[in-house]
Amino acid sequence: MNINFSRYDTLSTLLAGTTAALTIVISQPAIAKTPQEVASIAGPLTVQINSSLGDGSGVIIAKTGKTYTVLTVNHVVEKADVKYTVRTSKGKNYQATSVTRLQTAETDPDLAVVKFESPEEYPVATIADSDRAVIGTQIFVYGYPATGGLFGAEREPELSPGLVTSRPGNRPEGYTLRYQAVTWSGMSGGPVFDSEGRVIGLHGQGEFGFAQTSSGEVAPIKTGFNAAVPINTFIAKLVAAGINKSELKVDNTPATQGPVSTANPQDAQAYYFRGLSRLDQDNPSGAIDDFTQALKLKPNYTPELHFNIGNARTLLASIETTRAPSAIEAYTLAIEANPGFADAYYNRALAYLDNKNQPKAIADFQKAAELYKQGGRTSAYQDALNRIKQLQ
């Protein structure tokens, strides 16, 4: 059963009352840029894109005179009758002078170009070859979250590290660069950087996937996987965007930091990451094997490992003819390890529904809603409330 992403990203983890997907610490060569260095590069390049319909992010990719070109995702600026403003890292707001939407059909990549004029000096992003972002590659997502009731000028930028988990050949709206990272609503359209601080994609999807239950219902499960449109996809659209390649700063040299190897895992981290990659590639059985091995090597890798075992079991049950091991047990272990794990409550509620246990499902949706509200996860909170309303 394929894991298909929600179009919009929301806070998946790492807010008050929630837990993050397991952070994998990567040993970096001395010459590789640190996350702080990547953030210092990302800050001046990344902008907010605001409107009456919501807030997103974007990245400056070109400059001609006083005119700046910002690359973002189309769903941030898709309404033609809405006015959009660009807020820069210096706190200056500018009216968008033009919006070029590159997604004119559902099969087109989710990309758009916004222009604004400013007498201020802003740097232009360096673009790299996104085909080099193979499985295991370190990435950094940067953008302006719009969570906890914060909008417009109140938003502060965030840098979120992650690792590429799969590179499918074809996905809806061009989202073929997929990774495990913490993201928030408002970061859609924000740049995805490689370990050198070069743009390799535009973030725009995340939060949950879909699995078919035994009753035939297609239910959303929280996963923590995210996706971006690779920058090479945009390069192929330069003519439609009205941009000459000479206007862009391009550096296609290989990154100094190579990808994490999963060919022969030797420790818990490697098994965990290979499990994530297998889960993202629709191999729940292999993912369970790797997660189980990671637990054997480092039992303290909880609650995230138990949570992902639950996700893998949920997906396995949707494709296996025989009854897969219960996901409820795995989600329960995740909750016992971290009572504030909102997504584990949400997914366990779905598992209870699949087992026709409506009272326990309602109780878990109520707990998830409470935690989502505490963490400022507005859309997830509303989703949980809607689920409760449907069941009562």
Side-chain angles (χ1 to χ4, degrees):
M1 181 72 181
N2 289 335
I3 305 175
N4 297 312
F5 284 102
S6 161
R7 180 183 178 104
Y8 300 101
D9 61 304
T10 62
L11 170 63
S12 55
T13 46
L14 202 62
L15 282 177
T18 67
T19 184
L22 178 65
T23 301
I24 302 176
V25 180
I26 310 299
S27 299
Q28 296 184 346
I31 57 176
K33 286 183 170 56
T34 65
Q36 291 78 13
E37 290 172 326
V38 173
S40 68
I41 293 171
L45 304 169
T46 308
V47 300
Q48 298 180 26
I49 299 178
N50 302 320
S51 73
S52 59
L53 296 180
D55 299 330
S57 301
V59 60
I60 299 172
I61 59 166
K63 178 189 177 185
T64 303
K66 296 181 180 180
T67 301
Y68 289 90
T69 300
V70 173
L71 181 61
T72 185
V73 291
N74 185 67
H75 73 255
V76 168
V77 293
E78 61 184 340
K79 299 296 184 181
D81 57 347
V82 173
K83 292 183 178 180
Y84 299 95
T85 59
V86 176
R87 184 176 177 85
T88 67
S89 59
K90 295 181 180 181
K92 302 293 182 68
N93 292 293
Y94 302 97
Q95 193 71 40
T97 57
S98 70
V99 178
T100 303
R101 299 171 180 86
L102 302 180
Q103 187 180 34
T104 59
E106 291 185 0
T107 55
D108 292 335
D110 186 16
L111 293 171
V113 170
V114 177
K115 293 190 177 184
F116 72 96
E117 293 186 359
S118 170
E120 301 279 345
E121 288 293 326
Y122 296 100
V124 173
T126 299
I127 291 171
D129 181 4
S130 55
D131 286 346
R132 295 184 183 275
V134 297
I135 294 173
T137 298
Q138 172 81 67
I139 57 92
F140 297 90
V141 185
Y142 196 86
Y144 286 85
T147 57
L150 300 180
F151 301 98
E154 299 174 319
R155 295 197 288 156
E156 296 292 338
E158 293 279 353
L159 179 79
S160 181
L163 291 171
V164 176
T165 52
S166 71
R167 292 301 312 268
N170 183 40
R171 286 283 180 171
E173 300 183 287
Y175 282 100
T176 59
L177 175 59
R178 292 155 65 94
Y179 39 86
Q180 180 84 359
V182 177
T183 61
W184 295 262
S185 61
M187 294 179 75
S188 280
V192 178
F193 294 93
D194 67 4
S195 60
E196 305 299 315
R198 302 173 298 186
V199 176
I200 56 171
L202 276 296
H203 172 76
Q205 288 186 337
E207 170 76 85
F208 56 78
F210 297 94
Q212 187 173 13
T213 66
S214 59
S215 62
E217 178 190 5
V218 177
I221 65 168
K222 313 291 184 178
T223 64
F225 289 116
N226 297 267
V229 180
I231 200 67
N232 285 10
T233 301
F234 168 69
I235 297 298
K237 294 281 187 178
L238 288 181
V239 174
I243 298 174
N244 293 321
K245 193 171 183 178
S246 60
E247 299 178 50
L248 306 177
K249 290 175 62 177
V250 180
D251 177 9
N252 288 333
T253 58
T256 55
Q257 180 175 314
V260 176
S261 175
T262 58
N264 184 26
Q266 298 296 315
D267 56 27
Q269 290 179 343
Y271 274 109
Y272 178 79
F273 176 66
R274 192 172 73 174
L276 289 176
S277 185
R278 284 177 165 177
L279 185 59
D280 192 25
Q281 296 176 66
D282 305 328
N283 181 2
S285 180
I288 291 171
D289 290 342
D290 281 341
F291 293 147
T292 302
Q293 186 62 34
L295 276 173
K296 289 179 180 179
L297 293 172
K298 196 169 184 180
N300 290 334
Y301 264 18
T302 58
E304 293 83 5
L305 269 169
H306 290 301
F307 174 73
N308 281 294
I309 288 173
N311 288 344
R313 287 178 176 176
T314 298
L315 295 171
L316 186 62
S318 71
I319 60 177
E320 293 282 351
T321 55
T322 57
R323 188 70 178 173
S326 173
I328 293 174
E329 178 185 357
Y331 291 133
T332 299
L333 289 171
I335 291 167
E336 289 176 354
N338 180 2
F341 204 152
D343 288 343
Y345 281 105
Y346 184 95
N347 284 2
R348 190 174 70 172
L350 293 173
Y352 277 134
L353 276 183
D354 196 30
N355 282 358
K356 313 300 182 185
N357 192 333
Q358 185 167 312
K360 286 191 175 182
I362 292 175
D364 272 358
F365 280 132
Q366 289 174 332
K367 185 62 176 180
E370 173 188 329
L371 293 170
Y372 288 145
K373 185 177 182 180
Q374 291 176 6
R377 299 175 62 175
T378 306
S379 60
Y381 169 66
Q382 191 59 53
D383 178 35
L385 290 183
N386 291 339
R387 283 275 180 178
I388 295 168
K389 185 177 179 180
Q390 291 169 1
L391 293 173
Q392 288 178 334

